[in-house]
Amino acid sequence: MKTELNYINFSYQTNSLQEYNISLSYQLFGKDLFSAPIILVNHALTGNSDVSGKNGWWKNLIGENQAIDTNKYTVICFNIPGNGYDGFFIERYEDFTPSDIASIFLKGLEILKINSLHTIIGGSLGGGIGWEMLVKNPQLAKVFIPIACDFKTHDWLHAQCLVQKFLLNQNDEPLQKARIHAMLCYRTPESLNKRFQNKFNKDKHKLESEDWLIYHGNALNDRFSLTSYKMMNHLLMNINSDEAKLKKIKAEIHVISVDTDLFFSSSQIRMCFENLKNEKDNVFYYEIKSIHGHDAFLMEYQQLNNIIKSILKI
């Protein structure tokens, strides 16, 4: 399995007309490039290109004999420029939009001489970038699987990202505090209440739920940069694919929602599906049942595996 970090370097002008030298990194898993159908995985907000193998953040979905079988497919994943995983950072993050990231990914595919994909799959922000890619190149993929995301950032999510922005721009432990707030949006009241049940940690003199939130804030601070988190939050805040062009996408579209998602609500995703269904025959809807909210796409692997297998017809 080829897991080394590879790089493509090129010049790019953003939609805001700013010039950048982009260092686009990516990883390949599974079959040799051009020897098998290619699946592009777009990572989520704090994810990266390491999607499979021992440390892969989606290893329960992608790997040998998994739903996305690396014995059958070539899997490629780009790092969103500025996520910091490859040491590349972007200070002026507001120069970029998800539309720019989609264009950069398309340029990467072009340089690699990948003219078509079997599947584009992505969760949350990654799925949003997938929508943007297919609006720009409607014939790029045979199958599109956006998970826990929509083609645009709706008002509720924009508001939560705005709170994140305020927290990230203050001086006292900004990343930790932003992550604590985000965790309350990724999960649900039912998820936290069922897990912790008001248990008090006598040694630490605090509720176990409080200790858990502080742990996640500190853990992200240790592995993620403030600059990168600001950029990823900005991108999540500004997904805005042209709705009028969605019907031109040639791929089968398999939208997957989570019934308790507080970020990309199932009702909004279902509305997108129903509107597209009036324009296209090859659009399908699935719903993960979970008390865990948005994070269910990183937790409910049995449900997700079953859905992906049915889509890819394994």
Side-chain angles (χ1 to χ4, degrees):
M1 184 176 286
K2 300 165 288 300
T3 60
E4 67 271 13
L5 208 55
N6 303 283
Y7 295 85
I8 306 169
N9 299 296
F10 54 89
S11 297
Y12 176 74
Q13 185 181 75
T14 67
N15 294 332
S16 58
L17 304 181
Q18 302 301 309
E19 297 287 342
Y20 278 85
N21 292 318
I22 298 295
S23 180
L24 179 63
S25 63
Y26 66 95
Q27 287 175 258
L28 291 166
F29 304 87
K31 305 293 286 184
D32 290 335
L33 196 57
F34 304 117
S35 70
I38 301 170
I39 293 180
L40 172 67
V41 178
N42 288 345
H43 70 76
L45 189 141
T46 59
N48 53 54
S49 61
D50 199 9
V51 296
S52 185
K54 181 180 179 181
N55 298 315
W57 58 267
W58 239 3
K59 63 183 178 182
N60 291 320
L61 187 69
I62 303 170
E64 293 183 358
N65 303 314
Q66 299 281 29
I68 297 177
D69 191 350
T70 49
N71 291 319
K72 182 177 179 181
Y73 298 103
T74 302
V75 175
I76 182 170
C77 183
F78 294 115
N79 283 298
I80 294 175
N83 77 342
Y85 183 68
D86 52 8
F88 182 64
F89 299 91
I90 297 173
E91 294 289 339
R92 292 172 53 186
Y93 61 89
E94 291 185 336
D95 288 345
F96 290 81
T97 66
S99 175
D100 286 304
I101 304 304
S103 294
I104 288 168
F105 283 6
L106 290 170
K107 182 66 174 179
L109 293 174
E110 177 186 340
I111 291 172
L112 291 172
K113 302 188 186 306
I114 299 173
N115 299 317
S116 62
L117 298 166
H118 182 282
T119 299
I120 299 175
I121 183 171
S124 192
L125 173 60
I129 292 168
W131 281 112
E132 299 268 14
M133 292 178 72
L134 288 169
V135 163
K136 294 173 183 294
N137 187 346
Q139 301 187 56
L140 178 62
K142 178 182 176 183
V143 178
F144 177 41
I145 310 174
I147 306 171
C149 70
D150 206 352
F151 68 93
K152 69 180 298 180
T153 301
H154 296 287
D155 294 288
W156 171 262
L157 174 55
H158 189 277
Q160 301 310 316
C161 291
L162 183 63
V163 174
Q164 291 277 290
K165 184 176 181 179
F166 292 155
L167 291 169
L168 290 167
N169 284 332
Q170 51 95 51
N171 295 321
D172 184 18
E173 297 185 325
L175 207 156
Q176 292 96 320
K177 290 178 178 177
R179 187 61 170 179
I180 287 171
H181 167 256
M183 291 302 297
L184 296 177
C185 298
Y186 297 152
R187 302 295 176 89
T188 65
E190 292 78 13
S191 178
L192 263 68
N193 291 341
K194 183 176 180 180
R195 176 170 180 172
F196 297 107
Q197 299 179 20
N198 281 104
K199 293 178 182 176
F200 190 81
N201 189 313
K202 294 181 180 179
D203 294 331
K204 296 184 178 180
H205 304 288
K206 62 184 67 171
L207 287 171
E208 290 189 0
S209 56
E210 180 182 350
D211 187 54
W212 179 80
L213 287 168
I214 292 171
Y215 165 79
H216 277 283
N218 290 334
L220 189 74
N221 186 64
D222 290 341
R223 71 176 180 87
F224 217 80
S225 77
L226 179 60
T227 299
S228 295
Y229 199 85
K230 284 182 176 181
M231 178 162 186
M232 296 302 108
N233 181 66
H234 170 74
L235 294 175
L236 184 61
M237 195 174 185
N238 288 285
I239 301 166
N240 191 27
S241 302
D242 188 340
E243 186 173 7
K245 295 181 179 179
L246 299 183
K247 63 185 178 183
K248 297 181 180 179
I249 296 173
K250 299 300 182 184
E252 290 181 6
I253 300 176
H254 298 263
V255 296
I256 304 174
S257 74
V258 179
D259 63 343
T260 55
D261 197 333
L262 299 178
F263 260 10
F264 291 97
S265 71
S266 59
S267 61
Q268 289 286 356
I269 294 174
R270 193 181 304 111
M271 186 183 302
C272 171
F273 159 73
E274 290 172 352
N275 290 339
L276 269 179
K277 192 67 177 174
N278 293 327
E279 305 284 352
K280 289 168 53 68
D281 294 329
N282 56 347
V283 186
F284 308 90
Y285 179 81
Y286 312 80
E287 193 167 286
I288 294 171
K289 307 296 183 183
S290 176
I291 67 167
H292 297 304
H294 186 68
D295 265 3
F297 84 93
L298 298 170
M299 300 171 71
E300 302 286 1
Y301 282 111
Q302 188 60 57
Q303 291 186 63
L304 193 52
N305 269 280
N306 291 338
I307 293 170
I308 300 301
K309 285 180 179 179
S310 72
I311 294 171
L312 299 180
K313 299 177 176 63
I314 296 174

